[in-house]
Amino acid sequence: MDVIEAIESRKSIRAFRPDPVPKEILTRILEVAVRAPSTDNTQPWEFAIVTGPILDGLKKAMSEKMGAPTEFTPDIPFPILSYKPPYLDRSKKQGKKVFESMGIARDDWPRRMEWYRYMARFMDAPVGLILYVERYLGAYAILDAGLFLENLMLAAMNYGLGTCTQMAVVLYPDILRRALNIPESKLILCGVAIGYPDENAPVNQFRSEREPLDSFATWYGFD
Ligand SMILES: Cc1cc2nc3c(=O)[nH]c(=O)nc-3n(C[C@H](O)[C@H](O)[C@H](O)COP(=O)(O)O)c2cc1C
């Protein structure tokens, strides 16, 4: 698979087979992912990779806690309640695709809640990764961590693994801090569910949309 093909075919995987992922494979993926560029080569990404009973404990604690957006306390305040167009429309379109793929109606709150709890369980993936950076490094470190993240997702594909970056697993950072000994000095950014894709799951069948390039790009000096 060439680089363009890998980038174009990557998509978020939201249902996984329970098969464990060998540590050797995860190690290789992470070794590749840390080749990402970073500000002054500071390499600020840090991550906890969790499986087995420790992951089970996190899944239980976070899914039990999952509640209203007003109760979320992520390290980076989540802007969902303040989205305006065009971000609001894109976000709504994406949410609609996810719920429609599973036949969950807009007003079916019990099933929607069930989905949020499922997300808090790392979408039942066998491996969960929590990504964080030293807090005082600020926005550049977050940018660097994003580059690591895309590398991670692309490298995982090489081993037949699927991934989904998740804010849903960092909504209650205290739970993560306690279980994984992550100090307050670290800014918890997001999680990643990792596992072998359940190819037949309805939620894995759709592809997210992108706006036309012209809505992002402003060209100068070209014909
Ligand atoms: C920082 C970040 C947090 C995300 N959190 C979630 C999440 O909690 N739940 C989820 O289903 N998808 C989550 N996603 C995945 C996005 O919804 C997804 O990347 C986007 O819809 C584009 O789809 P694609 O990844 O399939 O191209 C997150 C992505 C990012 C980058």
Side-chain angles (χ1 to χ4, degrees):
M1 194 186 289
D2 71 21
V3 179
I4 302 291
E5 199 186 335
I7 293 170
E8 287 202 316
S9 59
R10 186 212 55 80
K11 62 178 207 172
S12 293
I13 294 298
R14 295 185 173 86
F16 301 88
R17 290 192 273 122
D19 314 48
V21 184
K23 189 180 174 192
E24 299 70 44
I25 292 183
L26 291 167
T27 304
R28 185 66 197 127
I29 291 167
L30 292 165
E31 279 170 352
V32 172
V34 299
R35 291 305 310 176
S38 62
T39 315
D40 282 329
N41 202 22
T42 43
Q43 306 163 63
W45 40 70
E46 293 180 60
F47 32 85
I49 310 108
V50 193
T51 194
I54 301 178
L55 183 63
D56 293 342
L58 281 179
K59 287 175 175 177
K60 185 168 183 295
M62 295 198 300
S63 58
E64 282 174 2
K65 181 116 192 191
M66 184 53 103
T70 44
E71 292 161 17
F72 298 160
T73 54
D75 280 5
I76 302 179
F78 189 57
I80 192 163
L81 298 174
S82 52
Y83 279 160
K84 298 183 188 121
Y87 314 107
L88 180 66
D89 319 294
R90 294 176 192 166
S91 162
K92 276 188 174 164
K93 211 190 267 184
Q94 170 63 17
K96 198 162 174 263
K97 263 182 185 271
V98 171
F99 286 118
E100 272 180 5
S101 74
M102 296 178 290
I104 300 177
R106 216 179 126 70
D107 55 357
D108 188 345
W109 278 105
R111 284 193 68 199
R112 283 177 88 108
M113 215 39 231
E114 200 182 302
W115 172 254
Y116 296 133
R117 287 202 196 92
Y118 170 82
M119 285 205 291
R121 297 197 313 265
F122 282 89
M123 299 167 171
D124 289 346
V127 176
L129 181 146
I130 297 294
L131 180 61
Y132 46 94
V133 294
E134 188 67 33
R135 202 182 279 270
Y136 83 85
L137 291 173
Y140 283 99
I142 301 173
L143 190 58
D144 299 339
L147 299 170
F148 159 83
L149 202 53
E150 173 77 341
N151 267 4
L152 167 74
M153 293 189 277
L154 294 174
M157 287 169 61
N158 200 54
Y159 296 90
L161 287 163
T163 54
C164 187
T165 299
Q166 286 195 270
M167 44 73 50
V169 294
V170 296
L171 299 174
Y172 309 108
D174 290 354
I175 296 177
L176 299 168
R177 288 207 153 81
R178 261 196 307 275
L180 307 173
N181 294 319
I182 303 173
E184 280 292 337
S185 58
K186 309 288 179 189
L187 187 72
I188 299 179
L189 304 179
C190 64
V192 187
I194 306 173
Y196 296 100
D198 177 350
E199 305 285 0
N200 299 319
V203 74
N204 284 340
Q205 305 308 315
F206 72 89
R207 188 166 163 71
S208 62
E209 293 174 21
R210 293 295 182 271
E211 300 297 317
L213 192 58
D214 282 352
S215 61
F216 310 120
T218 310
W219 301 86
Y220 299 93
F222 290 88
D223 293 334

